[in-house]
Amino acid sequence: KAGVTQTPRYLIKTRGQQVTLSCSPISGHRSVSWYQQTPGQGLQFLFEYFSETQRNKGNFPGRFSGRQFSNSRSEMNVSTLELGDSALYLCASSLGTSASNEQFFGPGTRLTVL
Amino acid sequence: QKEVEQDPGPLSVPEGAIVSLNCTYSNSAFQYFMWYRQYSRKGPELLMYTYSSGNKEDGRFTAQVDKSSKYISLFIRDSQPSDSATYLCAPNSGNTPLVFGKGTRLSVIA
């Protein structure tokens, strides 16, 4: 069974630009969660989508948004990039909601903002 | 007080040593306790999962939870170089998104 895939794996952007990251969950998984990982703050929850609906949202500004498609694939978007947005963005999928089901993580997208 | 506190290390031990990794948490609603392992350039993977207080053993790994002191531990016996990774604790209430510790970076030296 294929794991969670994320594209692209690496991305370099400049301040003020926007970026879209993509996540394909494990087949059959309906929940996709997004996390930001930095050395200073660790792994922080961004948001979770289940059956195309946002179920939970972390404490991030509105520049961070996401969506989920009917095939459970998900995208997250960051607008007006700031230097502090440089991080590893991880997506995780689970059969049901992330709170009560094992999450499987993808390898992440490494975003560098210059 | 942060919801989950974890010493970031790095922690360096010789092969064969017993490793102790620890976290403290503040939310008394946490009932499920997970440990994730993250290798370099990879996403985290679930290593162990326990419910409520007590111990759980899986091979060389033992997870221990003390809810009275809000303290969780992961012990690794006979540590191997392949155990070199970052270990993240993630206590959970069961109905909210996971909250992760910052992770402890472990190096096991052959």
Side-chain angles (χ1 to χ4, degrees):
Chain A
K1 196 181 220 186
V4 178
T5 58
Q6 292 187 246
T7 56
R9 291 293 310 277
Y10 302 92
L11 206 49
I12 299 176
K13 292 286 188 179
T14 56
R15 278 180 299 173
Q17 287 187 309
Q18 73 155 11
V19 67
T20 299
L21 312 181
S22 180
C23 171
S24 292
I26 291 172
S27 177
H29 285 193
R30 297 169 64 189
S31 169
V32 172
S33 297
W34 288 90
Y35 297 85
Q36 181 196 66
Q37 188 173 36
T38 59
Q41 298 300 318
L43 198 59
Q44 294 186 284
F45 173 76
L46 280 157
F47 28 66
E48 177 186 5
Y49 287 87
F50 181 82
S51 294
E52 302 178 67
T53 302
Q54 187 179 89
R55 283 187 55 89
N56 288 293
K57 190 177 193 313
N59 189 24
F60 278 83
R63 299 185 297 107
F64 292 82
S65 63
R67 60 178 175 168
Q68 187 181 34
F69 302 96
S70 58
N71 61 358
S72 293
R73 192 177 70 82
S74 178
E75 289 181 347
M76 69 162 279
N77 184 276
V78 189
S79 62
T80 321
L81 284 166
E82 300 177 0
L83 295 178
D85 296 333
S86 294
L88 180 67
Y89 290 88
L90 290 157
C91 126
S93 75
S94 55
L95 274 172
T97 58
S98 65
S100 52
N101 289 269
E102 181 180 353
Q103 291 186 77
F104 296 82
F105 283 82
T109 294
R110 172 76 60 185
L111 172 65
T112 301
V113 182
L114 302 176
Chain B
Q1 183 186 7
K2 285 190 178 284
E3 218 168 1
V4 182
E5 300 267 15
Q6 185 176 8
D7 187 339
L11 182 62
S12 187
V13 301
E15 184 176 357
I18 296 175
V19 176
S20 173
L21 305 168
N22 309 292
C23 285
T24 58
Y25 63 94
S26 58
N27 189 340
S28 57
F30 288 153
Q31 298 280 350
Y32 304 88
F33 303 91
M34 282 160 266
W35 283 94
Y36 280 79
R37 177 175 61 193
Q38 185 175 19
Y39 289 114
S40 181
R41 303 183 192 281
K42 296 282 181 80
E45 57 178 349
L46 182 64
L47 182 63
M48 291 198 68
Y49 161 77
T50 55
Y51 172 71
S52 197
S53 283
N55 291 0
K56 183 175 182 179
E57 191 174 315
D58 184 0
R60 297 183 295 109
F61 297 87
T62 299
Q64 193 172 78
V65 177
D66 183 349
K67 289 185 67 182
S68 63
S69 57
K70 298 188 178 68
Y71 194 82
I72 55 181
S73 301
L74 177 70
F75 299 96
I76 307 174
R77 290 185 302 280
D78 187 26
S79 56
Q80 302 295 309
S82 58
D83 296 328
S84 297
T86 296
Y87 291 81
L88 304 115
C89 63
N92 180 242
S93 65
N95 53 22
T96 54
L98 292 182
V99 178
F100 287 86
K102 287 189 179 180
T104 300
R105 191 152 50 97
L106 171 68
S107 293
V108 181
I109 312 300

mmCIF file of all heavy atoms in Angstrom, chain B residues 48-88:
data_model
loop_
_atom_site.group_PDB
_atom_site.id
_atom_site.type_symbol
_atom_site.label_atom_id
_atom_site.label_comp_id
_atom_site.label_asym_id
_atom_site.label_seq_id
_atom_site.Cartn_x
_atom_site.Cartn_y
_atom_site.Cartn_z
ATOM 1 N N MET B 48 4.950 3.849 19.698
ATOM 2 C CA MET B 48 4.211 3.178 20.767
ATOM 3 C C MET B 48 3.016 4.019 21.165
ATOM 4 O O MET B 48 3.021 5.248 21.024
ATOM 5 C CB MET B 48 5.104 2.954 21.987
ATOM 6 C CG MET B 48 6.195 1.942 21.751
ATOM 7 S SD MET B 48 6.887 1.298 23.269
ATOM 8 C CE MET B 48 5.527 0.364 23.923
ATOM 9 N N TYR B 49 2.029 3.331 21.724
ATOM 10 C CA TYR B 49 0.774 3.991 22.072
ATOM 11 C C TYR B 49 0.242 3.338 23.344
ATOM 12 O O TYR B 49 0.136 2.126 23.426
ATOM 13 C CB TYR B 49 -0.184 3.795 20.901
ATOM 14 C CG TYR B 49 -1.639 3.987 21.197
ATOM 15 C CD1 TYR B 49 -2.170 5.259 21.320
ATOM 16 C CD2 TYR B 49 -2.479 2.893 21.310
ATOM 17 C CE1 TYR B 49 -3.513 5.442 21.553
ATOM 18 C CE2 TYR B 49 -3.830 3.067 21.557
ATOM 19 C CZ TYR B 49 -4.344 4.344 21.673
ATOM 20 O OH TYR B 49 -5.668 4.521 21.916
ATOM 21 N N THR B 50 -0.036 4.148 24.359
ATOM 22 C CA THR B 50 -0.575 3.608 25.601
ATOM 23 C C THR B 50 -1.809 4.413 26.003
ATOM 24 O O THR B 50 -1.978 5.565 25.605
ATOM 25 C CB THR B 50 0.447 3.672 26.753
ATOM 26 O OG1 THR B 50 0.894 5.028 26.883
ATOM 27 C CG2 THR B 50 1.640 2.788 26.484
ATOM 28 N N TYR B 51 -2.638 3.762 26.791
ATOM 29 C CA TYR B 51 -3.841 4.411 27.294
ATOM 30 C C TYR B 51 -3.773 4.461 28.808
ATOM 31 O O TYR B 51 -3.466 3.455 29.449
ATOM 32 C CB TYR B 51 -5.085 3.646 26.837
ATOM 33 C CG TYR B 51 -6.353 4.153 27.467
ATOM 34 C CD1 TYR B 51 -6.872 5.395 27.102
ATOM 35 C CD2 TYR B 51 -7.024 3.406 28.429
ATOM 36 C CE1 TYR B 51 -8.036 5.870 27.685
ATOM 37 C CE2 TYR B 51 -8.175 3.871 29.008
ATOM 38 C CZ TYR B 51 -8.686 5.110 28.644
ATOM 39 O OH TYR B 51 -9.819 5.576 29.219
ATOM 40 N N SER B 52 -4.000 5.644 29.379
ATOM 41 C CA SER B 52 -4.024 5.870 30.817
ATOM 42 C C SER B 52 -2.671 5.539 31.450
ATOM 43 O O SER B 52 -1.653 5.471 30.783
ATOM 44 C CB SER B 52 -5.154 5.056 31.436
ATOM 45 O OG SER B 52 -5.443 5.545 32.740
ATOM 46 N N SER B 53 -2.637 5.335 32.727
ATOM 47 C CA SER B 53 -1.379 5.111 33.442
ATOM 48 C C SER B 53 -0.895 3.675 33.286
ATOM 49 O O SER B 53 -1.657 2.780 32.949
ATOM 50 C CB SER B 53 -1.555 5.404 34.934
ATOM 51 O OG SER B 53 -1.569 6.783 35.174
ATOM 52 N N GLY B 54 0.401 3.493 33.532
ATOM 53 C CA GLY B 54 0.947 2.141 33.496
ATOM 54 C C GLY B 54 2.075 2.012 32.512
ATOM 55 O O GLY B 54 2.568 2.993 31.963
ATOM 56 N N ASN B 55 2.500 0.782 32.312
ATOM 57 C CA ASN B 55 3.607 0.472 31.412
ATOM 58 C C ASN B 55 3.120 -0.337 30.220
ATOM 59 O O ASN B 55 2.139 -1.072 30.304
ATOM 60 C CB ASN B 55 4.662 -0.381 32.141
ATOM 61 C CG ASN B 55 5.381 0.393 33.214
ATOM 62 O OD1 ASN B 55 5.113 1.571 33.429
ATOM 63 N ND2 ASN B 55 6.278 -0.267 33.907
ATOM 64 N N LYS B 56 3.837 -0.189 29.109
ATOM 65 C CA LYS B 56 3.603 -1.029 27.941
ATOM 66 C C LYS B 56 4.940 -1.357 27.322
ATOM 67 O O LYS B 56 5.753 -0.454 27.118
ATOM 68 C CB LYS B 56 2.709 -0.314 26.925
ATOM 69 C CG LYS B 56 2.367 -1.167 25.704
ATOM 70 C CD LYS B 56 1.393 -0.442 24.810
ATOM 71 C CE LYS B 56 1.009 -1.298 23.609
ATOM 72 N NZ LYS B 56 0.025 -0.595 22.748
ATOM 73 N N GLU B 57 5.144 -2.623 27.046
ATOM 74 C CA GLU B 57 6.426 -3.062 26.516
ATOM 75 C C GLU B 57 6.251 -3.598 25.105
ATOM 76 O O GLU B 57 5.279 -4.285 24.791
ATOM 77 C CB GLU B 57 6.997 -4.168 27.416
ATOM 78 C CG GLU B 57 8.432 -4.525 27.134
ATOM 79 C CD GLU B 57 8.985 -5.515 28.163
ATOM 80 O OE1 GLU B 57 8.755 -5.312 29.374
ATOM 81 O OE2 GLU B 57 9.624 -6.486 27.741
ATOM 82 N N ASP B 58 7.216 -3.259 24.245
ATOM 83 C CA ASP B 58 7.207 -3.763 22.880
ATOM 84 C C ASP B 58 8.659 -3.979 22.466
ATOM 85 O O ASP B 58 9.338 -3.035 22.078
ATOM 86 C CB ASP B 58 6.510 -2.777 21.941
ATOM 87 C CG ASP B 58 6.390 -3.302 20.519
ATOM 88 O OD1 ASP B 58 6.847 -4.441 20.253
ATOM 89 O OD2 ASP B 58 5.846 -2.592 19.660
ATOM 90 N N GLY B 59 9.102 -5.214 22.601
ATOM 91 C CA GLY B 59 10.500 -5.500 22.268
ATOM 92 C C GLY B 59 11.444 -4.757 23.189
ATOM 93 O O GLY B 59 11.343 -4.853 24.414
ATOM 94 N N ARG B 60 12.334 -3.994 22.601
ATOM 95 C CA ARG B 60 13.312 -3.239 23.412
ATOM 96 C C ARG B 60 12.739 -1.931 23.957
ATOM 97 O O ARG B 60 13.419 -1.216 24.687
ATOM 98 C CB ARG B 60 14.542 -2.944 22.549
ATOM 99 C CG ARG B 60 15.294 -4.181 22.090
ATOM 100 C CD ARG B 60 16.557 -3.817 21.307
ATOM 101 N NE ARG B 60 16.271 -3.137 20.053
ATOM 102 C CZ ARG B 60 16.507 -1.859 19.822
ATOM 103 N NH1 ARG B 60 17.033 -1.092 20.768
ATOM 104 N NH2 ARG B 60 16.242 -1.335 18.638
ATOM 105 N N PHE B 61 11.520 -1.619 23.613
ATOM 106 C CA PHE B 61 10.919 -0.340 23.995
ATOM 107 C C PHE B 61 9.881 -0.534 25.099
ATOM 108 O O PHE B 61 9.072 -1.448 25.046
ATOM 109 C CB PHE B 61 10.254 0.312 22.780
ATOM 110 C CG PHE B 61 11.221 0.651 21.678
ATOM 111 C CD1 PHE B 61 11.542 -0.289 20.709
ATOM 112 C CD2 PHE B 61 11.801 1.899 21.597
ATOM 113 C CE1 PHE B 61 12.435 0.007 19.684
ATOM 114 C CE2 PHE B 61 12.692 2.211 20.581
ATOM 115 C CZ PHE B 61 13.006 1.267 19.624
ATOM 116 N N THR B 62 9.907 0.378 26.079
ATOM 117 C CA THR B 62 8.897 0.392 27.145
ATOM 118 C C THR B 62 8.398 1.816 27.311
ATOM 119 O O THR B 62 9.193 2.739 27.483
ATOM 120 C CB THR B 62 9.476 -0.095 28.481
ATOM 121 O OG1 THR B 62 9.939 -1.437 28.339
ATOM 122 C CG2 THR B 62 8.407 -0.045 29.579
ATOM 123 N N ALA B 63 7.080 1.984 27.245
ATOM 124 C CA ALA B 63 6.465 3.287 27.486
ATOM 125 C C ALA B 63 5.854 3.253 28.878
ATOM 126 O O ALA B 63 5.242 2.277 29.289
ATOM 127 C CB ALA B 63 5.398 3.573 26.436
ATOM 128 N N GLN B 64 6.044 4.338 29.598
ATOM 129 C CA GLN B 64 5.556 4.419 30.972
ATOM 130 C C GLN B 64 4.796 5.729 31.157
ATOM 131 O O GLN B 64 5.252 6.783 30.702
ATOM 132 C CB GLN B 64 6.764 4.384 31.916
ATOM 133 C CG GLN B 64 6.450 4.164 33.371
ATOM 134 C CD GLN B 64 7.740 3.945 34.148
ATOM 135 O OE1 GLN B 64 8.465 4.880 34.465
ATOM 136 N NE2 GLN B 64 8.041 2.687 34.450
ATOM 137 N N VAL B 65 3.636 5.650 31.786
ATOM 138 C CA VAL B 65 2.819 6.837 32.011
ATOM 139 C C VAL B 65 2.487 6.950 33.491
ATOM 140 O O VAL B 65 2.018 5.985 34.102
ATOM 141 C CB VAL B 65 1.499 6.772 31.207
ATOM 142 C CG1 VAL B 65 0.633 7.991 31.518
ATOM 143 C CG2 VAL B 65 1.782 6.691 29.721
ATOM 144 N N ASP B 66 2.724 8.104 34.059
ATOM 145 C CA ASP B 66 2.331 8.410 35.437
ATOM 146 C C ASP B 66 1.404 9.617 35.385
ATOM 147 O O ASP B 66 1.864 10.760 35.355
ATOM 148 C CB ASP B 66 3.562 8.694 36.297
ATOM 149 C CG ASP B 66 3.200 8.957 37.761
ATOM 150 O OD1 ASP B 66 2.002 9.134 38.062
ATOM 151 O OD2 ASP B 66 4.108 8.981 38.597
ATOM 152 N N LYS B 67 0.118 9.374 35.367
ATOM 153 C CA LYS B 67 -0.833 10.471 35.220
ATOM 154 C C LYS B 67 -0.876 11.352 36.459
ATOM 155 O O LYS B 67 -1.201 12.536 36.368
ATOM 156 C CB LYS B 67 -2.227 9.929 34.912
ATOM 157 C CG LYS B 67 -2.349 9.338 33.510
ATOM 158 C CD LYS B 67 -3.773 8.935 33.201
ATOM 159 C CE LYS B 67 -4.678 10.130 33.098
ATOM 160 N NZ LYS B 67 -6.090 9.726 32.842
ATOM 161 N N SER B 68 -0.552 10.796 37.611
ATOM 162 C CA SER B 68 -0.611 11.598 38.840
ATOM 163 C C SER B 68 0.421 12.720 38.812
ATOM 164 O O SER B 68 0.182 13.811 39.330
ATOM 165 C CB SER B 68 -0.390 10.716 40.069
ATOM 166 O OG SER B 68 0.908 10.138 40.032
ATOM 167 N N SER B 69 1.563 12.466 38.171
ATOM 168 C CA SER B 69 2.586 13.507 38.076
ATOM 169 C C SER B 69 2.672 14.079 36.666
ATOM 170 O O SER B 69 3.532 14.921 36.387
ATOM 171 C CB SER B 69 3.955 12.961 38.502
ATOM 172 O OG SER B 69 4.311 11.851 37.728
ATOM 173 N N LYS B 70 1.795 13.610 35.785
ATOM 174 C CA LYS B 70 1.762 14.094 34.395
ATOM 175 C C LYS B 70 3.144 13.932 33.745
ATOM 176 O O LYS B 70 3.708 14.885 33.184
ATOM 177 C CB LYS B 70 1.276 15.537 34.323
ATOM 178 C CG LYS B 70 -0.154 15.735 34.827
ATOM 179 C CD LYS B 70 -0.635 17.156 34.550
ATOM 180 C CE LYS B 70 -2.061 17.367 35.001
ATOM 181 N NZ LYS B 70 -2.211 17.322 36.455
ATOM 182 N N TYR B 71 3.648 12.719 33.833
ATOM 183 C CA TYR B 71 5.013 12.435 33.385
ATOM 184 C C TYR B 71 4.988 11.176 32.535
ATOM 185 O O TYR B 71 4.426 10.162 32.949
ATOM 186 C CB TYR B 71 5.897 12.218 34.626
ATOM 187 C CG TYR B 71 7.369 12.229 34.388
ATOM 188 C CD1 TYR B 71 8.059 13.431 34.312
ATOM 189 C CD2 TYR B 71 8.085 11.045 34.253
ATOM 190 C CE1 TYR B 71 9.432 13.449 34.109
ATOM 191 C CE2 TYR B 71 9.449 11.046 34.052
ATOM 192 C CZ TYR B 71 10.120 12.252 33.993
ATOM 193 O OH TYR B 71 11.473 12.276 33.800
ATOM 194 N N ILE B 72 5.556 11.254 31.334
ATOM 195 C CA ILE B 72 5.596 10.080 30.458
ATOM 196 C C ILE B 72 7.027 9.808 30.034
ATOM 197 O O ILE B 72 7.824 10.750 29.866
ATOM 198 C CB ILE B 72 4.668 10.243 29.233
ATOM 199 C CG1 ILE B 72 4.993 11.527 28.464
ATOM 200 C CG2 ILE B 72 3.221 10.259 29.655
ATOM 201 C CD1 ILE B 72 4.085 11.738 27.248
ATOM 202 N N SER B 73 7.342 8.528 29.908
ATOM 203 C CA SER B 73 8.707 8.121 29.604
ATOM 204 C C SER B 73 8.720 7.054 28.522
ATOM 205 O O SER B 73 7.768 6.287 28.375
ATOM 206 C CB SER B 73 9.384 7.540 30.854
ATOM 207 O OG SER B 73 9.406 8.470 31.907
ATOM 208 N N LEU B 74 9.820 7.029 27.798
ATOM 209 C CA LEU B 74 10.087 5.962 26.840
ATOM 210 C C LEU B 74 11.482 5.440 27.146
ATOM 211 O O LEU B 74 12.439 6.223 27.188
ATOM 212 C CB LEU B 74 10.024 6.475 25.399
ATOM 213 C CG LEU B 74 10.351 5.440 24.324
ATOM 214 C CD1 LEU B 74 9.232 4.398 24.223
ATOM 215 C CD2 LEU B 74 10.557 6.102 22.963
ATOM 216 N N PHE B 75 11.585 4.141 27.401
ATOM 217 C CA PHE B 75 12.866 3.512 27.672
ATOM 218 C C PHE B 75 13.250 2.636 26.487
ATOM 219 O O PHE B 75 12.415 1.914 25.946
ATOM 220 C CB PHE B 75 12.809 2.662 28.945
ATOM 221 C CG PHE B 75 12.479 3.448 30.185
ATOM 222 C CD1 PHE B 75 11.181 3.514 30.642
ATOM 223 C CD2 PHE B 75 13.471 4.132 30.868
ATOM 224 C CE1 PHE B 75 10.864 4.243 31.786
ATOM 225 C CE2 PHE B 75 13.168 4.862 32.010
ATOM 226 C CZ PHE B 75 11.864 4.924 32.472
ATOM 227 N N ILE B 76 14.506 2.719 26.109
ATOM 228 C CA ILE B 76 15.027 1.873 25.039
ATOM 229 C C ILE B 76 16.152 1.038 25.646
ATOM 230 O O ILE B 76 17.141 1.588 26.140
ATOM 231 C CB ILE B 76 15.576 2.709 23.851
ATOM 232 C CG1 ILE B 76 14.525 3.697 23.358
ATOM 233 C CG2 ILE B 76 16.003 1.782 22.717
ATOM 234 C CD1 ILE B 76 15.042 4.655 22.270
ATOM 235 N N ARG B 77 15.990 -0.274 25.622
ATOM 236 C CA ARG B 77 17.052 -1.166 26.136
ATOM 237 C C ARG B 77 17.950 -1.583 24.979
ATOM 238 O O ARG B 77 17.516 -1.639 23.822
ATOM 239 C CB ARG B 77 16.425 -2.423 26.749
ATOM 240 C CG ARG B 77 15.671 -2.208 28.035
ATOM 241 C CD ARG B 77 15.194 -3.551 28.597
ATOM 242 N NE ARG B 77 14.350 -4.256 27.642
ATOM 243 C CZ ARG B 77 13.067 -3.974 27.446
ATOM 244 N NH1 ARG B 77 12.495 -2.998 28.114
ATOM 245 N NH2 ARG B 77 12.357 -4.671 26.587
ATOM 246 N N ASP B 78 19.192 -1.885 25.331
ATOM 247 C CA ASP B 78 20.158 -2.368 24.337
ATOM 248 C C ASP B 78 20.098 -1.494 23.073
ATOM 249 O O ASP B 78 19.844 -1.969 21.969
ATOM 250 C CB ASP B 78 19.848 -3.830 23.989
ATOM 251 C CG ASP B 78 20.899 -4.456 23.086
ATOM 252 O OD1 ASP B 78 22.055 -3.992 23.116
ATOM 253 O OD2 ASP B 78 20.549 -5.394 22.329
ATOM 254 N N SER B 79 20.291 -0.215 23.252
ATOM 255 C CA SER B 79 20.147 0.730 22.146
ATOM 256 C C SER B 79 21.100 0.398 21.000
ATOM 257 O O SER B 79 22.230 -0.070 21.217
ATOM 258 C CB SER B 79 20.371 2.161 22.635
ATOM 259 O OG SER B 79 21.635 2.281 23.263
ATOM 260 N N GLN B 80 20.611 0.644 19.790
ATOM 261 C CA GLN B 80 21.343 0.338 18.563
ATOM 262 C C GLN B 80 21.543 1.611 17.747
ATOM 263 O O GLN B 80 20.748 2.550 17.853
ATOM 264 C CB GLN B 80 20.545 -0.665 17.734
ATOM 265 C CG GLN B 80 20.242 -1.975 18.452
ATOM 266 C CD GLN B 80 21.491 -2.752 18.754
ATOM 267 O OE1 GLN B 80 22.312 -2.981 17.865
ATOM 268 N NE2 GLN B 80 21.658 -3.167 20.017
ATOM 269 N N PRO B 81 22.565 1.646 16.913
ATOM 270 C CA PRO B 81 22.748 2.829 16.052
ATOM 271 C C PRO B 81 21.502 3.134 15.221
ATOM 272 O O PRO B 81 21.217 4.305 14.943
ATOM 273 C CB PRO B 81 23.935 2.431 15.166
ATOM 274 C CG PRO B 81 24.737 1.512 16.038
ATOM 275 C CD PRO B 81 23.720 0.729 16.815
ATOM 276 N N SER B 82 20.731 2.102 14.877
ATOM 277 C CA SER B 82 19.510 2.327 14.094
ATOM 278 C C SER B 82 18.417 3.029 14.904
ATOM 279 O O SER B 82 17.401 3.445 14.339
ATOM 280 C CB SER B 82 18.959 0.993 13.574
ATOM 281 O OG SER B 82 18.693 0.119 14.666
ATOM 282 N N ASP B 83 18.610 3.147 16.213
ATOM 283 C CA ASP B 83 17.658 3.898 17.041
ATOM 284 C C ASP B 83 17.925 5.400 16.981
ATOM 285 O O ASP B 83 17.156 6.194 17.540
ATOM 286 C CB ASP B 83 17.745 3.439 18.515
ATOM 287 C CG ASP B 83 17.328 2.001 18.708
ATOM 288 O OD1 ASP B 83 16.451 1.525 17.956
ATOM 289 O OD2 ASP B 83 17.889 1.338 19.612
ATOM 290 N N SER B 84 19.000 5.800 16.341
ATOM 291 C CA SER B 84 19.334 7.228 16.234
ATOM 292 C C SER B 84 18.248 7.939 15.439
ATOM 293 O O SER B 84 18.015 7.639 14.261
ATOM 294 C CB SER B 84 20.690 7.409 15.548
ATOM 295 O OG SER B 84 21.716 6.818 16.310
ATOM 296 N N ALA B 85 17.564 8.847 16.093
ATOM 297 C CA ALA B 85 16.405 9.531 15.506
ATOM 298 C C ALA B 85 15.938 10.589 16.499
ATOM 299 O O ALA B 85 16.490 10.715 17.595
ATOM 300 C CB ALA B 85 15.273 8.541 15.230
ATOM 301 N N THR B 86 14.924 11.319 16.112
ATOM 302 C CA THR B 86 14.261 12.238 17.045
ATOM 303 C C THR B 86 12.993 11.564 17.541
ATOM 304 O O THR B 86 12.220 11.019 16.745
ATOM 305 C CB THR B 86 13.926 13.573 16.360
ATOM 306 O OG1 THR B 86 15.140 14.220 15.971
ATOM 307 C CG2 THR B 86 13.157 14.484 17.311
ATOM 308 N N TYR B 87 12.790 11.596 18.850
ATOM 309 C CA TYR B 87 11.625 10.957 19.468
ATOM 310 C C TYR B 87 10.690 12.036 19.990
ATOM 311 O O TYR B 87 11.095 12.925 20.743
ATOM 312 C CB TYR B 87 12.079 10.026 20.601
ATOM 313 C CG TYR B 87 12.813 8.818 20.061
ATOM 314 C CD1 TYR B 87 14.155 8.899 19.704
ATOM 315 C CD2 TYR B 87 12.150 7.603 19.858
ATOM 316 C CE1 TYR B 87 14.830 7.812 19.175
ATOM 317 C CE2 TYR B 87 12.816 6.506 19.332
ATOM 318 C CZ TYR B 87 14.151 6.624 18.986
ATOM 319 O OH TYR B 87 14.810 5.549 18.446
ATOM 320 N N LEU B 88 9.445 11.961 19.570
ATOM 321 C CA LEU B 88 8.450 12.966 19.940
ATOM 322 C C LEU B 88 7.346 12.318 20.766
ATOM 323 O O LEU B 88 6.794 11.291 20.361
ATOM 324 C CB LEU B 88 7.814 13.600 18.694
ATOM 325 C CG LEU B 88 8.762 14.244 17.702
ATOM 326 C CD1 LEU B 88 8.731 13.510 16.379
ATOM 327 C CD2 LEU B 88 8.370 15.685 17.452
#
